[in-house]
Amino acid sequence: EAGVTQFPSHSVIEKGQTVTLRCDPISGHDNLYWYRRVMGKEIKFLLHFVKESKQDESGMPNNRFLAERTGGTYSTLKVQPAELEDSGVYFCASSQEFSKQYFGPGTRLTVL
Amino acid sequence: KQEVTQIPAALSVPEGENLVLNCSFTDSAIYNLQWFRQDPGKGLTSLLLIQSSQREQTSGRLNASLDKSSGRSTLYIAASQPGDSATYLCAVGDSNYQLIWGAGTKLIIKP
């Protein structure tokens, strides 16, 4: 069984540019989560999808972040325009029902 | 607001020793608790998941306990090996199914 995959593994962009991160959950997992870890801080929750619906987006930092999960399969997280403080590692996780969350390898975003 | 604390922030022990990592949380109304490990530059690997109704879980040399009333969890690693060197993270699942994370304990096992 394939695990959670994320693309790209690393992205370096300049301030003001746009970046789109992708997450492919484990097949059959309706729940998909985004988290991020910025330098020196704890991992923080961003949002939670159940199928294609946003169950909870209370962790999204501001309106420069847009997450979608069209069709309830893979998800994208777009940052537009990117700022320096957006640098960090973005993790995606999926789960079957509301149980153990399985994490992807993360995308390391560097904003210069 | 739930807060998760992990102590110590770093730990270095000789190979073969048994050790305990600590995690505390401020709100006992949790859904579950997970322990993860993260290797440098790698993703998060789930080690153990304890549901709120459980007291402990075991996997190989790892044993995790949960005491909701006191807001504490411990991860016990028996007969430590150099391959156990990693950062260990504790995360509490709340009623909204979010995970609230501790800052982690960086563990180094010296050969």
Side-chain angles (χ1 to χ4, degrees):
Chain A
E1 177 185 276
V4 177
T5 58
Q6 293 186 244
F7 182 83
S9 58
H10 193 180
S11 179
V12 181
I13 61 172
E14 293 191 352
K15 176 182 172 181
Q17 290 186 322
T18 297
V19 63
T20 300
L21 313 181
R22 174 172 168 143
C23 168
D24 286 77
I26 293 172
S27 178
H29 282 192
D30 289 339
N31 294 278
L32 187 149
Y33 310 81
W34 284 98
Y35 296 85
R36 75 171 180 177
R37 186 174 201 169
V38 296
M39 184 72 73
K41 300 284 184 68
E42 295 89 349
I43 298 172
K44 296 287 189 185
F45 166 84
L46 295 178
L47 87 160
H48 170 203
F49 283 99
V50 178
K51 297 185 180 178
E52 67 275 11
S53 300
K54 291 176 185 174
Q55 177 80 7
D56 181 354
E57 53 182 330
S58 60
M60 294 287 264
N62 51 62
N63 59 10
R64 295 186 294 103
F65 288 75
L66 175 64
E68 294 180 324
R69 192 183 182 195
T70 306
T73 54
Y74 70 91
S75 174
T76 58
L77 179 64
K78 181 160 70 174
V79 185
Q80 179 182 29
E83 299 289 345
L84 298 179
E85 64 265 24
D86 300 332
S87 295
V89 181
Y90 289 76
F91 292 103
C92 174
S94 71
S95 71
Q96 198 167 40
E97 300 182 349
F98 299 113
S99 60
K100 187 175 182 178
Q101 295 185 23
Y102 296 84
F103 280 76
T107 293
R108 181 173 296 278
L109 174 64
T110 303
V111 182
L112 303 175
Chain B
K1 178 188 170 187
Q2 179 75 271
E3 292 183 2
V4 181
T5 303
Q6 290 187 247
I7 293 173
L11 180 64
S12 179
V13 302
E15 179 179 2
E17 282 198 5
N18 303 324
L19 58 99
V20 175
L21 306 180
N22 296 293
C23 172
S24 62
F25 45 94
T26 54
D27 186 345
S28 62
I30 67 171
Y31 188 74
N32 57 34
L33 185 145
Q34 277 186 259
W35 282 93
F36 295 84
R37 73 174 275 170
Q38 184 175 25
D39 295 278
K42 300 291 180 66
L44 299 163
T45 302
S46 180
L47 298 173
L48 291 163
L49 167 72
I50 311 177
Q51 300 291 356
S52 62
S53 58
Q54 297 175 323
R55 297 282 294 187
E56 66 177 347
Q57 283 287 322
T58 298
S59 176
R61 295 182 294 108
L62 305 180
N63 175 277
S65 69
L66 174 63
D67 183 343
K68 279 202 317 178
S69 61
S70 65
R72 292 179 185 177
S73 176
T74 62
L75 179 67
Y76 175 84
I77 302 177
S80 59
Q81 303 170 358
D84 295 331
S85 298
T87 296
Y88 289 80
L89 295 153
C90 164
V92 168
D94 70 6
S95 57
N96 294 319
Y97 313 111
Q98 296 180 24
L99 289 178
I100 298 120
W101 298 78
T105 294
K106 185 174 181 180
L107 176 65
I108 296 174
I109 306 298
K110 298 175 288 187

